[in-house]
Every structure is written in C-alpha cells, then in structure tokens.
Amino acid sequence: MSALYAGLISGTSMDAVDAVLVNLPGEGPPRCLAALAYPIPPELHARLKRLADPAAAAGLDELGEADVLTGELFAEAALAVIEAAGISTDAVVAIGSHGQTVRHRPEANPPFTLQIGNPHRIAQRTGITTVADFRQRDMAAGGQGAPLVPAFHRAVFGDRHEARVVINIGGIANITRLPAHGMAPVIGFDTGPGNTLMDGWIRRHRNLPYDSDGAWARQGLILDDLLQRLLADPYLALPAPKSTGPEYFSPAWLEGHLIGLAAKPEDVQRTLLEYTARSIALAVDAFAADSVRALVCGGGAHNGLLMERLAALMPGRQVTDTASMGVDPDWVEAMAFAWLAKEALQGRPGNVREVTGAREDVILGGIIPGSGEWQVASG
C-alpha cells in the first residue's frame, strides 16, 4: 500500500531547504511527486553561517532563536511542497526533517552532533507527525551519526547482479558501496570536501554562490604543490567509519594550506575541484574497487568538469548521475529522510552499523505527533 511522506533537509552548503513529497509504496521504488528548493532568507542564512563557524563563538540566545526560526522555515517548506503536489496535509503520513547541521564533532570527547530546526514547530504548524533528530540515536549507540543515507541508497539503488557505488556530492562528499548479491556489507563514509571549499572560494572572489558547471575552474590550472598539500591531510587516511563537515574543511583550513603560495584565484578553484575529485576516486578505489557503476547525486552532479574528472579518474566504471536510475540527483537526500521517517514509524532501524560504526542497528529519530494524533490510554 502506498503512503505519502515529506522529506526536508538543508545541507552543509545552506543554499536552500530541499523539500520533497514522496510516495513510498510497500513494494517497489519510491516516486517523488513534488520537489522544491525553498529559499533561506538572507538574515537567517547569515545566522546559520555564523552558528556553523566555530570561530564565531555564537551564544546560546542566538542558537535558540535560530532553532525556532529554522523550524518555522522548514514548516513553510513542507507546506509549500505539499501544496505544489496538490495534496491535502491530511493525506501525508509524516514529515522526516533532517534539520540544519550547525556542528558535527564525532571526534570530540564525548562525540556530539547538533541539528537545529525545531521539529515541534514543524508539527504544530503543519499538523503532521514529524520525525527528526535522526543522528542522535546512532551516536548514542557509538556511531558517527553519519552518513545516514546509505540505508536508503541500498533500498533504492542496490542490485543483486551488479556492484555499484553511490557518490553524494553536497558540501561534503560521501560514498556508499553497494556490493552485488548482498554477500558483503554496505560500506559508506564521508570522503572529504564536496562543494564546500569551491563554493566558499568563488563566493569570496566573485560573489557567486557556486561555480556553475565548473566554468570558472576550467579557466584555471592545477597547482601541484597545493594539491599535494591538500591530499596529505590526515582525514583522507583515516579508516572508515568516519565523517566530517565544513567546520573541519573550512576557509581557515584552506588558508593554512595557501600560506607561502602565490596563486591566481582561478587556479586555486581548479585545484579545489581536483582535490574533491581525487579524494572521492581514492576512496572508491580503496573501498569499492569491484563497483562497475558509479551513481552521482547532490549538487556536484551538475558540475560538468567535476563529472568529467570523476570519469577520468575511475576508468572502467560507468559514471552517471542517479537520474539514470529514475531518481533526480537533486532530491536524493531529502527523499532519504522521508524514507527514514517511514522506517522509524514502522519500528525498523535506519542506520547501517558497518557505515557509522554503531554497536547495533537502531531506530532513528524522535517522533512528534501531529494534530489530533495523541491519544491518552484509558484506565
């Protein structure tokens, strides 16, 4: 039996709230009925960027206010995508909201992660049961809390006859190995930066949000000295499971590697693109060597030069975006959190312990009931 779920996420790029309405049948592939990128107001965007910057030292009042404002924004995004689909809110079983990550510290003692976008506000505003805070239970079970999309990748893109690898390129890049026949475990982890360094660099030098199709990077040359410095970063050599974020691969991190280098801005951009491509390819070769098909999703799938470099660095594999499998690459992550909401409501684990390092598979997310859904037990 089919059921309608909404999925919401604002990724590390913080460019918009990705919102989808998905039909999740009991059997068969999910079908996206509507999708949109709901804009983040400039003032809130500035607040979120400040909160995500460890050097900014934002206070608790700022955190609390942003949590409420982000929750209201996510509620608006959910209502907008439901309206775009021409569906009544009463027909939607639940909303899966990832929220906005403002800090991810799996290496801290104790490890922690923080996503804001108050789910109580979403449930109250929409009247729809909301599932949120997906990462916390995995971390409580000893996991990294990320990445969480590999379980969805396995359900949607896995094939018993063909080994595949899914490459998600958002602000941070991650891979999911999907072995054929299900004979080996699914493996997934963050490989390093996706778009975050490139986006920050072009924003700084050209006041653009991103390098469309890699056009600016095409004007530059690879700086070998800089590339070798970047490739020597210890994160790339860490064993899986592992996860990271833009608080690690930050503008300050890049500036540290640029010390003593005289470089044209476009050459730095080209080198950053090469770094993203090579760090992904190295991870695929090390952990998904048997894969014959690479499926790319996330904003990086639209960067023509990046896709060219991935294909060149991974010979023998068919490199396409997930549209070749019937799933728009822009909405894979948002669809994953709609799917995770369904898994939570049906009492099924949503993490993959081989991916996150958790001690066990656990049900992810806290459930906030929608309007009229809470009943007091009699007696």
Side-chain angles (χ1 to χ4, degrees):
M1 184 174 65
S2 299
L4 302 182
Y5 288 79
L8 305 171
I9 182 174
S10 174
T12 51
S13 296
M14 297 185 187
D15 47 1
V17 179
D18 290 344
V20 296
L21 185 69
V22 187
N23 187 340
L24 296 173
E27 294 184 3
R31 186 162 62 94
C32 188
L33 304 182
L36 56 85
Y38 199 79
I40 300 175
E43 181 180 351
L44 179 57
H45 182 269
R47 285 194 185 208
L48 294 173
K49 283 290 187 183
R50 175 177 165 80
L51 284 168
D53 182 359
L60 285 176
D61 285 347
E62 190 167 0
L63 176 64
E65 291 170 4
D67 181 45
V68 170
L69 292 171
T70 305
E72 293 288 347
L73 179 71
F74 272 53
E76 292 172 9
L79 292 171
V81 78
I82 293 167
E83 181 180 6
I87 300 294
S88 167
T89 56
D90 294 337
V92 180
V93 176
I95 296 168
S97 177
H98 170 271
Q100 175 66 66
T101 298
V102 294
R103 197 74 88 249
H104 185 64
R105 295 292 198 196
E107 78 288 351
N109 186 20
F112 73 93
T113 189
L114 181 60
Q115 287 75 42
I116 63 172
N118 195 303
H120 300 270
R121 296 277 174 161
I122 301 172
Q124 184 65 28
R125 180 83 173 269
T126 64
I128 302 170
T129 294
T130 300
V131 187
D133 233 6
F134 289 95
R135 300 192 185 277
Q136 298 290 356
R137 185 64 183 274
D138 182 81
M139 294 196 90
Q144 295 265 322
L148 296 183
V149 292
F152 178 72
H153 291 162
R154 177 175 59 190
V156 177
F157 301 121
D159 186 275
R160 59 192 299 255
H161 302 295
E162 181 179 77
R164 297 172 175 176
V165 61
V166 181
I167 303 170
N168 176 54
I169 310 175
I172 297 297
N174 55 69
I175 66 168
T176 303
R177 182 190 74 173
L178 300 172
H181 305 294
M183 298 301 292
V186 170
I187 293 177
F189 57 90
D190 291 343
T191 61
N195 301 315
T196 187
L197 296 173
M198 292 186 285
D199 289 352
W201 190 253
I202 197 170
R203 189 178 298 113
R204 171 179 168 181
H205 289 276
R206 305 194 72 178
N207 197 31
L208 294 171
Y210 58 90
D211 186 7
S212 180
D213 200 38
W216 191 40
R218 288 184 188 276
Q219 299 174 26
L221 301 173
I222 297 172
L223 302 170
D224 288 333
D225 287 350
L226 176 59
L227 180 60
Q228 293 310 312
R229 291 186 187 187
L230 302 181
L231 288 170
D233 186 87
Y235 178 82
L236 271 60
L238 289 176
K242 59 181 178 177
S243 59
T244 188
E247 63 272 18
Y248 182 93
F249 290 103
S250 65
W253 177 90
L254 176 58
E255 288 298 332
H257 288 292
L258 290 173
I259 294 173
L261 288 178
K264 296 178 181 179
E266 60 270 28
D267 292 343
V268 174
Q269 185 76 357
R270 177 65 184 87
T271 306
L272 292 175
L273 184 145
E274 189 70 14
Y275 180 48
T276 290
R278 291 203 190 185
S279 57
I280 291 170
L282 287 169
V284 170
D285 286 342
F287 293 92
D290 61 339
S291 59
V292 298
R293 187 187 303 268
L295 300 169
V296 184
C297 56
H302 299 294
N303 187 319
L305 179 56
L306 181 56
M307 292 291 284
E308 289 170 19
R309 292 303 300 144
L310 287 173
L313 291 166
M314 297 190 296
R317 295 184 180 91
Q318 183 178 353
V319 180
T320 64
D321 63 41
T322 56
S324 63
M325 296 287 109
V327 182
D328 190 311
D330 287 334
W331 312 117
V332 172
E333 277 199 299
M335 291 174 67
F337 284 95
W339 183 84
L340 284 169
K342 180 181 179 181
E343 296 301 287
L345 290 178
Q346 297 191 353
R348 291 193 291 260
N351 66 336
V352 180
R353 62 180 182 272
E354 293 88 355
V355 169
T356 66
R359 292 182 294 273
E360 58 184 325
D361 293 338
V362 291
I363 298 169
L364 303 179
I367 300 170
I368 314 299
S371 299
E373 294 189 26
W374 186 262
Q375 296 181 359
V376 179
S378 60

